[in-house]
Amino acid sequence: QRHLRAIRDGIIATLPLIIIGSFFLIIAFPPLPADWGITQFLTSNAATILLPYRMTMYIMTLYATFGIGASLSKTYNLDVISGGILSTIAFLLTFVPVNIPAEALDAAGTAGFVLPMANLGGGGMFVGIITSILAVEIYRITDKSKFKITMPEQVPPAVARSFETLTPTLIVILGISTLTYFIGFDWHSTISKIVSPLVSAADTLPSVLLLIFLITFFWSFGIHGVSIVGSLARPLWLQLLDGNTAAMAAGKELPNIAAEPFYQWFIWIGGSGCTIGLALLLAFKTKSQFASKLGKATLAPAIFNINEPLIFGTPIVLNPILIIPFILTPMVTATIAWFATQLGLVNRVIFTAPWTLPGPIGAYLATGGDWRAAALSIVLIIVSVIIYYPFVMIYDNNELEKEHAIAE
């Protein structure tokens, strides 16, 4: 579905900013003893160290709107840059700049018009999604209906495109400005009230288990579950992560558990289905030539959370034996990790580490340098091995029988 795909692509395009930006959170609040000199130096300069974070991850929706608009425009064969710019201005027009008088310069540190930055980040994600899609749809309608300014062929293409987008730009600016500034429609508070139950529900164990089931269920039929479910859930996950990073930057208690890094490092170890246990068993415990060779070939990718060779090689797809642990294992690891986090045995996630890191390393980084998270990841890998074991033995015996039948 083109709109879901555009949302997915636009948000994923911001991941480098999210990863690098959130890294400054760890620098500003290092996982080191408080009495060390380096810790005291970094903490005392935290406000300055956090500035790159505030200009990247803290305002990620601003960048995501351009990506969503560009991606959606591409599916309509429209100019991607124009679509991205239209989406960005549509989003910015939902903000009401605050005018700080010159007399308040000493107290505020600035004067003139300023934007409220909080809603430029995760808090404004759903507004950004709506306005980006709205802007590109207006662009598409004006282009399709020829309700646009068309320049002669002699005009350079870049100049011609700028004139062709005058009409949709006028409609977007006038329409959203009228709603925001003249009618007084508060986009952010209204959308927040609508989606806040969804965000709250996403941070519950039943919601986590439901998403795991849907993702693994789709994968069981050869459909990329993360792409489908993740496109819908990722804005919620980012709001949860944004809540944690904002709380940490403000020195407050982290409020959320089930942000996306929680899934990556405690549930999808080795890939969807927590297949690291499957890869280890195939590589070291199977007797059939096929299973053993497949395990050795797919173990290295599995360590780095790439498991398509396993999903389609064993195959897990439409395999009634392996589908059961494929769905069950991540549900068990999620439950263990949830209660471990809820009870304070491990820190809550604040950092989006590169997804190709081995599980324990990613868990350590994602929780701000908590060694207990790395230990938990190792425990969950062992749990994965235990759950997959009886099913892999059945699978291996079936493969042995096939090989013996062929040999005879």
Side-chain angles (χ1 to χ4, degrees):
Q1 208 284 327
R2 70 174 77 232
H3 299 92
L4 293 180
R5 190 165 67 245
I7 294 168
R8 179 199 65 192
D9 293 346
I11 293 176
I12 288 178
T14 67
L15 281 181
L17 298 177
I18 293 173
I19 292 172
I20 301 300
S22 61
F23 183 72
F24 286 90
L25 278 171
I26 299 177
I27 298 176
F29 303 101
L32 300 171
D35 56 350
W36 285 16
I38 183 65
T39 306
Q40 295 173 358
F41 171 79
L42 293 173
T43 303
S44 62
N45 291 278
T48 302
I49 295 171
L50 286 174
L51 289 177
Y53 153 75
R54 297 195 182 282
M55 296 308 295
T56 51
M57 181 180 179
Y58 192 67
I59 56 173
M60 59 184 166
T61 298
L62 180 63
Y63 305 109
T65 54
F66 183 91
I68 294 170
S71 177
L72 185 56
S73 296
K74 185 177 181 180
T75 68
Y76 286 130
N77 294 318
L78 299 171
D79 181 58
V80 295
I81 296 178
S82 298
I85 292 174
L86 270 176
S87 295
T88 303
I89 187 58
F91 175 60
L92 287 174
L93 286 170
T94 64
F95 290 82
V96 180
V98 179
N99 188 15
I100 300 177
E103 302 82 53
L105 176 62
D106 293 336
T110 187
F113 285 97
V114 298
L115 285 177
M117 289 183 67
N119 285 330
L120 288 171
M125 182 62 72
F126 283 94
V127 175
I129 291 171
I130 292 169
T131 54
S132 296
I133 292 174
L134 178 63
V136 175
E137 289 298 332
I138 291 172
Y139 183 17
R140 177 184 67 86
I141 291 170
T142 57
D143 182 78
K144 188 176 180 180
S145 64
K146 306 300 181 183
F147 184 55
K148 61 182 180 179
I149 300 174
T150 304
M151 302 299 290
E153 293 182 359
Q154 295 82 358
V155 176
V159 177
R161 283 197 301 269
S162 66
F163 277 91
E164 289 174 357
T165 56
L166 277 176
T167 302
T169 301
L170 176 65
I171 295 172
V172 167
I173 292 177
L174 278 181
I176 297 182
S177 295
T178 300
L179 283 172
T180 305
Y181 305 129
F182 307 124
I183 296 178
F185 178 66
D186 189 337
W187 293 80
H188 296 276
S189 65
T190 302
I191 302 300
S192 177
K193 289 176 183 177
I194 295 172
V195 302
S196 57
L198 293 175
V199 177
S200 300
D203 198 40
T204 62
L205 181 57
S207 173
V208 171
L209 295 177
L210 175 62
L211 290 176
I212 291 170
F213 173 78
L214 291 174
I215 289 171
T216 52
F217 178 79
F218 280 121
W219 263 126
S220 299
F221 293 91
I223 303 169
H224 199 304
V226 177
S227 290
I228 294 176
V229 180
S231 297
L232 298 170
R234 187 161 283 110
L236 301 173
W237 291 337
L238 284 177
Q239 283 211 16
L240 295 175
L241 183 63
D242 182 64
N244 281 359
T245 56
M248 185 171 185
K252 299 178 181 178
E253 184 179 351
L254 305 186
N256 304 314
I257 294 177
E260 188 169 12
F262 176 81
Y263 287 81
Q264 181 62 59
W265 304 115
F266 298 124
I267 301 173
W268 304 137
I269 309 172
S272 297
C274 194
T275 51
I276 187 66
L278 173 61
L280 289 168
L281 288 167
L282 290 174
F284 300 112
K285 293 296 291 183
T286 54
K287 298 178 181 179
S288 65
Q289 291 186 17
F290 175 76
S292 178
K293 290 181 179 179
L294 178 65
K296 290 179 174 61
T298 57
L299 180 59
I303 291 173
F304 299 100
N305 306 309
I306 300 168
N307 70 343
E308 280 84 354
L310 270 178
I311 290 176
F312 295 103
T314 44
I316 293 173
V317 175
L318 298 178
N319 185 329
I321 297 172
L322 294 180
I323 283 176
I324 296 172
F326 184 73
I327 295 175
L328 178 63
T329 304
M331 288 189 167
V332 174
T333 59
T335 303
I336 295 171
W338 176 275
F339 283 109
T341 307
Q342 182 70 43
L343 295 172
L345 301 179
V346 296
N347 291 346
R348 303 187 180 205
V349 294
I350 58 157
F351 179 61
T352 301
W355 65 271
T356 51
L357 288 173
I361 297 174
Y364 175 81
L365 291 175
T367 53
D370 185 4
W371 66 267
R372 300 172 301 173
L376 175 61
S377 178
I378 294 171
V379 170
L380 297 177
I381 291 172
I382 296 171
V383 170
S384 174
V385 171
I386 293 171
I387 296 175
Y388 270 103
Y389 181 80
F391 299 94
V392 172
M393 292 303 99
I394 296 172
Y395 172 80
D396 187 41
N397 288 334
N398 290 342
E399 292 301 320
L400 276 174
E401 290 179 4
K402 293 178 185 177
E403 291 174 4
H404 290 158
I406 293 173
E408 292 174 358

